[in-house]
Amino acid sequence: MPKVRVSMPELQRRALLEVRKQPGCHNVQEIAINRVAKHPENNWSLCVLAAGAADANTAARAAVHVQTVLRRNYDLLTD
C-alpha cells in the first residue's frame, strides 16, 4: 500500500493526537516533525518538545512508537 503524502501541519496534528493517546501522555503539549533528507524509506522524524505534566521519558518513548506506526502510512509532501 503506498504511503499518503501529507503537509507538515497535518502530520504534526496527527502525530500529536496519537502521542496523546499513549499511556501517561494525554497532556503532552508540543511535538516537532523534522524533515530527514538522507533516509531512503522515510522523510521525517518526530520528537517531543514540551511534555507538559507527562514524564519526559514516557513521552519520548511514546514519540518513538508513534513515529514507527505513522511512518508506515505517511510521508511529508515535498516542496
Side-chain angles (χ1 to χ4, degrees):
M1 180 174 187
K3 291 184 183 183
V4 176
R5 294 192 173 271
V6 294
S7 67
M8 177 79 74
E10 178 61 17
L11 187 55
Q12 285 177 317
R13 185 189 70 76
R14 291 176 189 225
L16 183 57
L17 287 173
E18 291 301 318
V19 167
R20 287 178 174 166
K21 289 179 184 178
Q22 301 304 305
C25 296
H26 66 279
N27 55 6
V28 168
Q29 300 297 308
E30 188 176 1
I31 55 110
I33 301 292
N34 303 297
R35 288 190 183 277
V36 176
K38 296 184 179 185
H39 199 280
E41 293 91 28
N42 302 292
N43 67 355
W44 62 274
S45 66
L46 166 65
C47 67
V48 173
L49 295 178
D55 175 72
N57 289 325
T58 300
R61 283 191 300 276
V64 169
H65 171 73
V66 168
Q67 174 181 283
T68 301
V69 171
L70 292 184
R71 275 182 166 177
R72 292 180 195 141
N73 299 315
Y74 299 105
D75 266 338
L76 279 175
L77 285 171
T78 53
D79 295 331

